[in-house]
Amino acid sequence: MNASGSLRCVFAKPTTSARSCPKRDLHFHITRSVRPHRGPKYNPATSLLGPAILRHETPDQTSANKPVHRHEKASAKRKKGGRQASKPYTEEETARLKQIYNPEQFAALQAGEEAVSQEDISEQGVLRSDPWAFDYIEDFSKIHPVIDHPVRVPEGQNYDPKLRFKTEEEIDEDLANWVDELPDDPTRLDYIKFQDNLRLTVGKEEAERNPRTALAPEIPKGIPALQRGRSKTDDDIDPAYKRLMKQTGFSLQQIRRFRVKNLVAHRVVNQTRLGKIQSIYYLTIAGNGRGLLGIGEGKSTEPEDGRRQALFNAIRSLQPVPRYEDRTIYGDVRVKFGAVEVELMTRPPGFGIRTQQYIFEMARAVGMQDLAARVTRSRNPMNVIKATYQALMSQRLPEEIAKGLGRKLVDVRKVYYNGQV
């Protein structure tokens, strides 16, 4: 910088263009920079809303200019004696309490009241300071007869607000009056009339015979437009499903809700003296997604018959599968079926089902979410499915292990985590 430039800077008159621009902060980060909170633009002293609560107060502010919240006023009022502490019992109240409670209970009441400080009792009633707080104190558990307008049932011929059930003495009295009024040769018709005319309540008869109800009337029968979604009768159900329902005890709706999957289907040939007879073989699994799993095999010359035969056999062979926390198995299991070796491994929550396709479908059918598997040696589909089914059924439960060791089983989760796992 030369001398002329320095003199020009010293003796030059300041202009608006010569003002120093604020330095811009450059943040090379993907997140936005957090800027400090800007204060209010209005003057708290001249604002129509009164003094506001400033976020950043300087140390030289006096306590007289600071705003006071409602709960601070309430606490100050309690400290000054605005809320009186509970008074001790009088002699009359003490005598009345001794009549209600025995000496041990009365001594326990006195010890409990002495253990709690009166200052704590007076300071517990803090008023709400949230934006949804009411400007007045009210007990909302009671209905005010003037302010609140309760919705009442309109009184009609079949409504009686004083309706009540009869006592046993009143029913015995009605029975005795009926016996006195019986003719010399009573019949069964007289007893049926007594049962039909016997009232169990005291009040208007219309309120008992035809009471008011909020239920909608029943759907009328015989209208063709309303018969679309009607349930099937026994005559409409297939005889094969009827026989399956009797064998398993499941209803038709439960059978239709089962998760069914055909995993294996191929053609087989049986050589006889009359020639080769071709058939279709099916291997099907069925499960309800809540711990039941079954596998079934079917073979027939017609594909539909073989598929139905495998389905029915799978439903008949449904067995409960032990599940840990309804999501995985209790421990690692290793099973050898024929030339197939299957190893099922338990996994933590959120792991998912990471197995091959056949074991994956079986895990979904039984309702498991976390499972891992390894298949070694042969990978024949039929043997893999049967080995997996055998592995799921051969789990060692903790109760069985404890019983074999002669020990007692205790779930530590209920002790340390209160069962919330």
Side-chain angles (χ1 to χ4, degrees):
M1 186 175 181
N2 53 16
S4 61
S6 60
L7 291 176
R8 190 184 303 111
C9 292
V10 173
F11 297 103
K13 184 181 293 185
T15 59
T16 55
S17 61
R19 294 177 182 175
S20 61
C21 297
K23 186 178 180 181
R24 185 177 181 182
D25 297 334
L26 298 178
H27 299 277
F28 299 98
H29 201 272
I30 59 175
T31 58
R32 295 181 57 185
S33 60
V34 181
R35 299 186 180 277
H37 178 74
R38 298 178 62 182
K41 296 182 179 180
Y42 60 88
N43 188 2
T46 60
S47 176
L48 297 176
L49 299 177
I53 302 175
L54 300 181
R55 291 180 178 268
H56 306 284
E57 295 179 353
T58 55
D60 57 350
Q61 286 180 333
T62 59
S63 60
N65 296 331
K66 292 183 179 180
V68 182
H69 293 282
R70 287 185 299 170
H71 65 274
E72 295 179 356
K73 292 181 180 179
S75 60
K77 185 177 180 181
R78 287 194 301 270
K79 291 181 180 179
K80 290 181 180 180
R83 181 173 178 178
Q84 299 179 358
S86 58
K87 298 180 180 179
Y89 291 121
T90 60
E91 297 180 357
E92 182 180 357
E93 294 174 348
T94 304
R96 192 181 306 169
L97 290 174
K98 288 182 178 180
Q99 294 177 358
I100 300 175
Y101 304 101
N102 55 30
E104 296 179 356
Q105 295 176 346
F106 184 72
L109 291 175
Q110 287 183 334
E113 292 184 357
E114 292 177 357
V116 181
S117 175
Q118 296 294 336
E119 297 180 357
D120 295 342
I121 296 177
S122 60
E123 292 179 358
Q124 289 300 322
V126 180
L127 297 178
R128 292 174 54 182
S129 59
D130 54 278
W132 297 275
F134 290 92
D135 296 334
Y136 56 91
I137 301 176
E138 180 62 45
D139 186 6
F140 294 100
S141 62
K142 298 180 180 179
I143 297 178
H144 198 277
V146 179
I147 301 176
D148 301 326
H149 300 280
V151 180
R152 303 184 182 278
V153 180
E155 297 186 5
Q157 296 181 358
N158 57 348
Y159 173 74
D160 187 4
K162 298 181 180 180
L163 191 70
R164 64 172 181 84
F165 286 99
K166 286 185 178 181
T167 59
E168 296 182 359
E169 292 78 7
E170 294 175 344
I171 295 177
D172 295 341
E173 184 179 357
D174 293 344
L175 181 60
N177 295 336
W178 173 72
V179 172
D180 295 339
E181 296 175 359
L182 276 178
D184 297 336
D185 50 348
T187 60
R188 186 178 180 182
L189 183 61
D190 298 333
Y191 180 70
I192 294 176
K193 289 182 179 179
F194 169 73
Q195 284 185 331
D196 295 339
N197 299 327
L198 179 63
R199 293 192 54 192
L200 302 178
T201 58
V202 177
K204 291 184 179 180
E205 185 176 0
E206 296 82 0
E208 180 182 355
R209 303 297 183 186
N210 187 20
R212 295 182 61 91
T213 177
L215 298 177
E218 296 183 357
I219 299 177
K221 299 179 180 180
I223 301 177
L226 301 177
Q227 300 300 320
R228 297 177 182 176
R230 67 185 182 90
S231 59
K232 290 186 177 182
T233 60
D234 295 339
D235 299 335
D236 301 336
I237 301 176
D238 190 356
Y241 279 95
K242 285 184 181 180
R243 187 164 51 254
L244 181 63
M245 292 164 58
K246 291 181 181 179
Q247 293 174 351
T248 59
F250 296 114
S251 62
L252 183 62
Q253 290 78 10
Q254 291 176 339
I255 294 175
R256 294 187 182 278
R257 291 196 191 106
F258 285 145
R259 184 188 294 272
V260 181
K261 189 75 173 179
N262 291 322
L263 298 182
V264 179
H266 57 77
R267 185 178 64 91
V268 295
V269 178
N270 184 21
Q271 181 68 42
T272 64
R273 63 183 181 87
L274 300 177
K276 295 181 180 180
I277 300 177
Q278 298 183 4
S279 302
I280 305 298
Y281 171 84
Y282 289 96
L283 180 60
T284 307
I285 63 170
N288 63 346
R290 296 188 299 272
L292 288 180
L293 181 65
I295 61 175
E297 297 175 303
K299 184 174 64 174
S300 177
T301 55
E302 296 294 334
E304 185 62 30
D305 295 341
R307 190 181 299 109
R308 174 176 288 193
Q309 184 180 356
L311 169 63
F312 287 178
N313 291 335
I315 296 177
R316 290 191 190 98
S317 64
L318 284 172
Q319 295 292 333
V321 177
R323 296 183 301 164
Y324 178 69
E325 295 180 353
D326 295 340
R327 61 173 185 82
T328 185
I329 58 178
Y330 275 89
D332 297 350
V333 185
R334 188 179 182 87
V335 171
K336 184 178 182 299
F337 187 88
V340 176
E341 292 183 357
V342 175
E343 183 180 2
L344 301 181
M345 295 162 283
T346 180
R347 286 296 179 262
F351 183 82
I353 305 175
R354 304 183 188 181
T355 61
Q356 59 163 276
Q357 54 180 349
Y358 305 112
I359 305 177
F360 178 83
E361 295 295 342
M362 297 180 70
R364 287 186 58 192
V366 78
M368 289 188 180
Q369 294 85 25
D370 306 306
L371 186 67
R374 182 184 295 111
V375 181
T376 58
R377 297 184 63 184
S378 175
R379 288 183 174 84
N380 181 271
M382 294 185 297
N383 289 344
V384 168
I385 296 171
K386 294 177 182 178
T388 305
Y389 185 77
Q390 184 177 348
L392 292 174
M393 294 300 175
S394 61
Q395 300 182 51
R396 294 192 65 189
L397 302 181
E399 292 83 359
E400 298 177 356
I401 298 175
K403 188 181 296 184
L405 297 176
R407 301 297 180 88
K408 181 180 179 182
L409 181 65
V410 178
D411 192 354
V412 296
R413 299 176 303 171
K414 298 181 180 179
V415 179
Y416 293 100
Y417 304 106
N418 197 18
Q420 299 178 1
V421 293

